[in-house]
Amino acid sequence: MEEDWKRAKGPFAAIFTAPALWLFVFFVVPLAVIWAYSFGQNVGPTTIEISGTFRHYVRAADAVYLEIFLKSLWLAALTTFLCLVIGFPVALAITFAPDKAKAWLLLLIMLPFWTNLLIRTYALMAVLRREGYVNNSLGWAAEHMGWAFEPLPLLHNNFAVILGLVYVNLPFLVLPLYAALDRLDRSLLEASLDLGAGHLRTIWEVVVPLALPGILSGLLITFIPALGSYLTPDLLGGPDSQMIANVIESQFKRANDWPFGSALSFILMYLTFIAIAGQAVITNRRRRLAR
């Protein structure tokens, strides 16, 4: 076996070199440049001097930006929680659905990925706006019942942002949950039911612990893009609904303060690394306890 691996090193290196080079040139190098900018300062309209300063990271701790960071974390956490509440029953239903229905249900979950995010967001705006489908339907129902109706403010507020984030990120949670639930040993569920546990108790005490690694992965996969969302709060939110990605965009475009925008970007990336490390610690601890 060792000899086979030694003979395969050449073909493996040939296959690996091209994607590794691509990742290095178009991923690692740009990130390194932005990281270096975060320690620099503007010395001209288009010139940045790398001086090794930490003042942009210190500036990010100002109350204004700290509040936006905390609000972004809260919106991302709430979005992830709502996706879990909605997505877990959906993934469970898909898991126990007949094979033919399962294929169609999975297709419906993946269908949004075939449509551009911008188009989906504008479609949601058409549903939520003052003269949109929701308000028009409610107005029609109120008119036929003889009630007075004032269009609901469903757009350009925090409600619209949360609804949009859940709408966009829900498939990211359903698919990992389904993958984890589909691998469960169903004989354990049958044993739990035979021993007198109800369906809800079986789900809580058997299904959830066994599927916990998949649940944690799904939460992480949902939380990270929700935290860095830009388009959804920009189009669906109002002045008080901006998240940290919108502030980063304004620093690069309108304020032309690339060093500060770079520092904010990497603080967001550091938070992402912390979340990934936390998930890895929990997973490793569960594995050690399982042994």
Side-chain angles (χ1 to χ4, degrees), residues 4 26 28 40 49 63 65 80 83 108 114 126 129 131 136 154 162 180 193 197 202 207 244 286:
D4 292 342
F26 294 103
V28 177
E49 179 184 348
Y65 302 108
T80 305
C83 286
L108 290 175
W114 299 353
R129 62 192 177 96
E131 301 82 13
N136 284 343
L154 301 177
I162 294 172
L193 294 173
T202 298
V207 175
I244 191 60
R286 280 180 54 83

Side-chain angles (χ1 to χ4, degrees), residues 22-237:
W22 178 275
L23 285 174
F24 179 78
V25 173
F26 294 103
F27 182 75
V28 177
V29 172
L31 278 180
V33 171
I34 296 298
W35 182 75
Y37 281 171
S38 68
F39 300 101
Q41 56 187 0
N42 288 325
V43 294
T46 59
T47 306
I48 298 174
E49 179 184 348
I50 310 301
S51 58
T53 179
F54 283 86
R55 66 186 182 92
H56 301 296
Y57 289 95
V58 175
R59 181 184 169 191
D62 289 349
V64 175
Y65 302 108
L66 190 59
E67 181 181 355
I68 295 175
F69 265 115
L70 293 176
K71 184 173 185 178
S72 300
L73 288 169
W74 161 246
L75 290 176
L78 180 59
T79 297
T80 305
F81 173 75
L82 292 175
C83 286
L84 178 62
V85 171
I86 299 170
F88 189 84
V90 173
L92 202 61
I94 296 174
T95 301
F96 292 98
D99 291 338
K100 290 184 179 179
K102 185 182 297 186
W104 284 103
L105 291 172
L106 286 173
L107 178 64
L108 290 175
I109 294 297
M110 293 186 290
L111 199 59
F113 291 122
W114 299 353
T115 307
N116 186 271
L117 175 59
L118 183 62
I119 296 174
R120 283 186 282 151
T121 305
Y122 274 112
L124 194 58
M125 291 174 66
V127 173
L128 298 178
R129 62 192 177 96
R130 191 176 180 86
E131 301 82 13
Y133 297 113
V134 172
N135 277 317
N136 284 343
S137 300
L138 293 175
W140 178 85
E143 181 181 354
H144 282 71
M145 292 183 177
W147 298 344
F149 176 74
E150 182 69 22
L152 300 176
L154 301 177
L155 198 59
H156 304 308
N157 50 37
N158 289 332
F159 167 79
V161 173
I162 294 172
L163 181 62
L165 290 175
V166 172
Y167 168 66
V168 169
N169 293 290
L170 185 59
F172 291 114
L173 189 57
V174 172
L175 294 176
L177 282 178
Y178 164 73
L181 294 172
D182 195 50
R183 292 195 299 265
L184 292 181
D185 186 355
R186 301 193 182 187
S187 63
L188 297 176
L189 309 184
E190 296 172 359
S192 175
L193 294 173
D194 290 340
L195 292 172
H199 287 83
L200 291 179
R201 187 176 179 185
T202 298
I203 291 173
W204 182 251
E205 296 188 4
V206 179
V207 175
V208 171
L210 292 176
L212 190 58
I215 294 174
L216 292 177
S217 298
L219 293 176
L220 188 64
I221 293 171
T222 306
F223 178 79
I224 291 174
L227 180 61
S229 294
Y230 161 73
L231 187 64
T232 301
D234 187 59
L235 294 180
L236 300 180

Side-chain angles (χ1 to χ4, degrees), residues 243-258:
M243 296 177 67
I244 191 60
N246 304 104
V247 178
I248 294 172
E249 183 268 347
S250 67
Q251 295 301 318
F252 277 98
K253 286 189 175 180
R254 291 188 286 274
N256 196 33
D257 193 349
W258 284 39

